[in-house]
Amino acid sequence: MKKQLFAAAMILGPIVPRGEISFLLDRNKVAVVNERLRVSNAMYRGEDNVGRPFTVTAGSAVQASADEPVVRMENLVARIKLAEGPAELSARGGTYDYDREVVDVTGPVNFTAADGYRMTTSAIAIDLQGRRVTGSGGVTGAIPAGTFSADRIIADLDARTVTLDGHARLLMAPGKLRMP
């Protein structure tokens, strides 16, 4: 009976003349979450330091408590609009430590860009303050001029450099390298 009255109030509320509808919730019957933060389908939009729009989405984001400065995320996708076209990075999950300003992404981590660049690695750490990305556990990928692999990858976002470290291999396709 109570559910029927509540449902009737919710349905008729927008139709009847404006007035106040109040109801009481039993604190023993209301769902309570133990986490400090829980978000489904979270999205962050912004622009990088040269004005390119980007989005970062997570299927879920959870911070266990205020004492722990870490947000755990699942189903991550980051997109940015580059001059050559869109680029996307996707991963199963990761964590954001907002005290250290570090994002640790668990693998596999896949990166693709419209101009033919692609890369897969098992894990990356993104230092947001230092603007540096390091990947461990192996990396493979392709560029328009060939393919590459290595044990680790280090990217300096400000200098726009990528270093392949440990057993680095690069297979170039003749005539494919374009010089600016």
Side-chain angles (χ1 to χ4, degrees), residues 4-158:
Q4 293 167 338
L5 288 174
F6 183 69
M10 296 301 291
I11 293 169
L12 296 175
I15 299 170
V16 297
R18 291 285 178 213
E20 290 188 29
I21 296 177
S22 60
F23 54 92
L24 296 174
L25 294 177
D26 182 346
R27 68 181 175 150
N28 296 319
K29 295 182 180 176
V30 174
V32 177
V33 268
N34 296 325
E35 297 88 10
R36 177 175 187 234
L37 167 76
R38 177 180 291 273
V39 179
S40 294
N41 299 319
M43 177 183 279
Y44 178 76
R45 293 178 192 250
E47 288 185 347
D48 69 0
N49 59 349
V50 292
R52 296 177 295 203
F54 70 86
T55 61
V56 178
T57 60
S60 68
V62 176
Q63 182 182 5
S65 74
D67 297 332
E68 183 182 0
V70 175
V71 177
R72 296 185 193 325
M73 302 168 288
E74 292 182 5
N75 301 321
L76 294 171
V77 178
R79 293 182 178 97
I80 188 166
K81 186 176 179 185
L82 301 173
E84 301 80 20
E88 179 178 290
L89 184 136
S90 62
R92 284 187 211 145
T95 60
Y96 170 51
D97 183 328
Y98 54 82
D99 278 353
R100 293 180 26 236
E101 290 196 43
V102 172
V103 178
D104 287 311
V105 182
T106 53
V109 179
N110 296 301
F111 172 80
T112 57
D115 57 359
Y117 287 80
R118 70 183 189 323
M119 177 185 72
T120 300
T121 185
S122 63
I124 61 171
I126 306 165
D127 176 357
L128 298 173
Q129 274 187 324
R131 300 192 37 79
R132 200 170 156 94
V133 177
T134 54
S136 59
V139 60
T140 60
I143 59 175
T147 60
F148 64 90
S149 65
D151 293 339
R152 291 172 296 286
I153 187 168
I154 302 152
D156 183 326
L157 301 176
D158 287 332

